[in-house]
Amino acid sequence: MYEKVPKWKEECGIYGVYSPTEDVSEMTYLGLFALQHRGQESAGIALTDGDWIDVKKGMGLVSEVFREQLPRLDNAKIAIGHVRYATTGFSLAANAQPLRVNYAGGALALAHNGDLTNAALIRRDLESKGTVFQTTIDTEVFVHLIARSQKPSVEERILEAVSVVRGAFCLSIMTEDKLIGVRDPQGFRPLCIGRTPDGGWVLSSETCALDVNGAEFVRDVLPGEMVVMDSDGLKSYRFSNGKDVASCIFEYIYFARPDSIIDGQSVHAARFEMGRVLARESGFRGDVVISVPDSGTTAATGFSYEAGIPFAEGLIKNRYIGRTFIQPTQKQRDAAVKLKLSPVRSVVAGKSVIMVDDSIVRGTTSGKIVRLLRNAGAREIHVCISSPPITDPCYYGIDTSVRKELISATKSVDEICSFIGADSLHFISIDGLRQCVSALNPDHMCYACFNNKYPVPEEDAELDEDDKIILERRQIAQREREL
Ligand SMILES: O=P(O)(O)OC[C@H]1O[C@H](OP(=O)(O)OP(=O)(O)O)[C@H](O)[C@@H]1O
Ligand SMILES: NC(=O)CC[C@H](N)C(=O)O
Ligand code: SF4
Ligand SMILES: [Mg+2]
């Protein structure tokens, strides 16, 4: 049925531009560049001149996929784009987005960030009625549900489709004359609206990708809202009452760029606060605070500020190493952390070092870095982590490992501390984390990977044994291919 990809991943980025007078293809390309941190496996752009939707997509980074040229149409007025990290369906060219279809109502293209919790069940149902799927991504159920709907307008067709699917979905959809944004009722993933210099519209996963096109932030798409942008301006449709909001706290801890503002909360400010809370909760004192760059850096500066201990660059990241670094042999895998990060001996030698990172998933990164620091002469190493222990998988667009591979699911904090070889280890508490998003209602956040309280049940877990066996075989095959 579906292959779930068993790795800790980022998620996808989506973008869209409606502007009859600007270069929508280039603007989408630049927007995707600014969202590259959200997905580096494949990229794609779809655009229309009002008659025809063209798509160009492929495996790799935005710069690689569009190395030769951007998709071009004379008088193009709408474009959407996607950068992918596979969560359901392998990382293959066939699964790259946006998806484009022609159906009774016309043509549309669709790009998705998130992961559905009932896509396999919907797919099984649609397949039993004769629907033929072209990909193995959960996203494809949207296009079939929209195409099969008997409603007269595309807006109503989309609203009917979103009443059937559950889980995490931010969508950027284009028809020949409309740009449409949709955010699920929980608002798991971010999505915002901007205005271009010529008065056109932008949809973007994060605000950091508005600036690159000189677009001004207008507002976030609300959880349970669909926005439609066309020659009549912007129309809004609500399909939930706003009571089930559960935005992902991990966007603030790790996934989003620190210069983004999501739902009114600055990611940088949240991360800085996490560092301050860590300093108070851990009570750790030492000679120097260092970070695991880049994602641990903002929290480390917050720790340093609160504790009054200087921050220094104790680890340098090789800026030429992509996140998609391929690790085909054991030797290269072992070298990976050393290639990516190297210690600055003069900063750590003989010192009691406080090392701040955002998360421990399997424990491999922290263990290797602690060894690097010891070899560089660090006297003591105290590890502070700005997320609570990850004990449970995510079903909403981040594929944390299967539970047994999460080190915090099977080991206590003390056991993890000795596993990674640190002198002490502290994880931020969930209560502490809640204090760090002061612009938000902390009760309207998802913390399920730390506390097992899932805002939306994983209905696909109800698949029968045969389907699960197929799923598991595909997981194993995928893992073997990765080794
Ligand atoms: O416990 P582990 O399984 O090793 O995973 C945890 C690490 O993974 C992430 O970093 P990653 O190396 O993926 O990349 P980044 O921080 O450079 O984005 C995260 O920031 C942690 O450092
Ligand atoms: N990371 C994501 O948001 C992925 C979107 C979609 N589930 C896919 O696998 O393509
Ligand atoms: S389970 Fe964790 S990563 Fe997934 S949406 Fe909830 S907080 Fe975010
Ligand atoms: Mg990291």
Side-chain angles (χ1 to χ4, degrees):
M1 176 103 358
Y2 272 129
E3 311 96 348
K4 287 275 178 189
V5 185
K7 266 190 101 183
W8 173 253
K9 299 267 185 157
E10 279 89 52
E11 36 183 343
C12 301
I14 59 173
Y15 206 74
V17 183
Y18 176 99
S19 182
T21 56
E22 291 164 284
D23 185 342
V24 292
S25 184
E26 187 173 81
M27 290 169 90
T28 304
Y29 169 74
L30 295 175
L32 292 182
F33 238 104
L35 295 173
Q36 187 78 81
H37 60 288
R38 293 183 77 85
Q40 293 127 48
E41 293 178 351
S42 63
I45 294 177
L47 85 162
T48 185
D49 53 6
D51 292 324
W52 163 250
I53 294 182
D54 197 12
V55 187
K56 181 167 165 52
K57 55 186 176 177
M59 300 302 290
L61 300 171
V62 177
S63 58
E64 293 164 339
V65 174
F66 301 105
R67 187 187 315 236
E68 304 291 324
Q69 67 177 84
L70 293 175
R72 287 284 172 210
L73 284 176
D74 288 340
N75 306 317
K77 58 177 185 174
I78 312 173
I80 63 167
H82 190 263
V83 285
R84 179 168 192 242
Y85 245 136
T87 54
T88 297
F90 294 152
S91 181
L92 302 169
N95 286 340
Q97 302 195 36
L99 300 179
R100 174 193 49 187
V101 288
N102 292 303
Y103 71 107
L108 67 79
L110 183 148
H112 171 209
N113 171 208
D115 214 41
L116 306 178
T117 50
N118 63 345
L121 292 171
I122 296 174
R123 182 179 177 127
R124 193 174 59 179
D125 179 51
L126 289 174
E127 281 178 337
S128 75
K129 292 173 183 152
T131 303
V132 178
F133 279 74
Q134 304 288 331
T135 75
T136 51
I137 36 179
D138 55 339
T139 309
E140 196 181 341
V141 300
F142 282 109
V143 293
H144 293 297
L145 291 169
I146 294 168
R148 291 171 64 98
S149 167
Q150 298 300 309
K151 300 281 187 195
S153 69
V154 70
E155 289 89 339
E156 289 166 286
R157 285 171 181 258
I158 295 170
L159 288 171
E160 189 173 88
V162 301
S163 71
V164 177
V165 297
R166 280 180 284 280
F169 54 92
C170 275
L171 304 175
S172 179
I173 303 175
M174 64 188 274
T175 66
E176 294 101 328
D177 55 5
K178 294 175 201 293
L179 173 66
I180 301 172
V182 184
R183 195 172 176 200
D184 63 67
Q186 284 69 34
F188 282 113
R189 306 281 148 233
L191 186 64
C192 69
I193 305 167
R195 212 77 223 257
T196 71
D198 278 12
W201 299 98
V202 179
L203 275 175
S204 175
S205 288
E206 292 184 38
T207 56
C208 67
L210 296 179
D211 309 338
V212 71
N213 281 315
E216 285 202 7
F217 173 77
V218 175
R219 66 175 176 88
D220 294 282
V221 177
L222 299 172
E225 185 185 25
M226 174 172 82
V227 288
V228 180
M229 289 150 274
D230 59 16
S231 54
D232 294 333
L234 183 144
K235 279 194 214 75
S236 161
Y237 302 76
R238 297 301 302 274
F239 56 92
S240 79
N241 58 13
K243 289 200 176 128
D244 300 326
V245 177
S247 327
C248 172
I249 189 74
F250 236 115
E251 291 283 347
Y252 299 93
I253 297 169
Y254 174 69
F255 302 125
R257 244 171 59 169
D259 52 332
S260 285
I261 297 172
I262 304 172
D263 294 328
Q265 171 67 56
S266 148
V267 175
H268 180 276
R271 269 180 211 170
F272 191 82
E273 275 309 303
M274 289 170 204
R276 297 185 66 186
V277 170
L278 272 172
R280 293 198 293 271
E281 284 188 344
S282 67
F284 287 173
R285 292 297 174 263
D287 303 318
V288 66
V289 178
I290 68 165
S291 76
V292 180
D294 299 316
S295 48
T297 302
T298 314
T301 55
F303 192 115
S304 155
Y305 178 86
E306 182 71 18
I309 302 169
F311 169 81
E313 286 179 289
L315 288 163
I316 299 297
K317 184 170 175 177
N318 181 336
R319 70 179 64 179
Y320 302 103
I321 203 149
R323 282 191 181 174
T324 45
F325 182 63
I326 303 161
Q327 304 166 8
T329 66
Q330 188 59 38
K331 198 170 171 207
Q332 286 174 18
R333 266 199 305 280
D334 288 345
V337 168
K338 282 190 195 154
L339 277 176
K340 185 169 170 176
L341 295 166
S342 60
V344 181
R345 189 169 277 274
S346 60
V347 170
V348 301
K351 307 259 179 61
S352 170
V353 174
I354 296 168
M355 176 191 116
V356 180
D357 199 2
D358 52 84
S359 55
I360 293 183
V361 184
R362 290 187 177 83
T364 40
T365 305
S366 311
K368 285 180 180 167
I369 295 172
V370 167
R371 277 198 292 286
L372 287 181
L373 293 172
R374 287 229 191 271
N375 290 340
R379 183 164 49 82
E380 288 173 14
I381 302 161
H382 304 282
V383 175
C384 260
I385 303 294
S386 61
S387 62
I390 301 170
T391 49
D392 295 275
C394 173
Y395 303 117
Y396 314 125
I398 318 298
D399 264 307
T400 35
S401 307
V402 283
R403 189 174 274 109
K404 65 178 188 302
E405 291 177 356
L406 297 168
I407 192 168
S408 295
T410 52
K411 289 191 189 337
S412 68
V413 175
D414 284 348
E415 285 168 339
I416 299 170
C417 185
S418 33
F419 178 83
I420 64 173
D423 293 286
S424 55
L425 168 67
H426 182 85
F427 291 88
I428 198 170
S429 66
I430 294 183
D431 276 347
L433 200 52
R434 288 164 60 93
Q435 297 163 29
C436 301
V437 283
S438 53
L440 302 168
N441 178 345
D443 293 336
H444 283 180
M445 310 289 298
C446 175
Y447 309 89
C449 48
F450 315 124
N451 67 6
N452 194 254
K453 291 185 183 155
Y454 289 96
V456 176
E458 165 68 346
E459 292 173 54
D460 284 343
E462 294 160 18
L463 286 174
D464 59 31
E465 271 315 301
D466 285 353
D467 290 329
K468 281 186 188 156
I469 289 166
I470 293 171
L471 209 150
E472 199 169 327
R473 281 204 191 121
R474 287 182 177 175
Q475 279 182 354
I476 292 164
Q478 164 76 346
R479 225 174 290 174
E480 279 168 358
R481 278 219 291 277
E482 280 184 8
L483 287 173

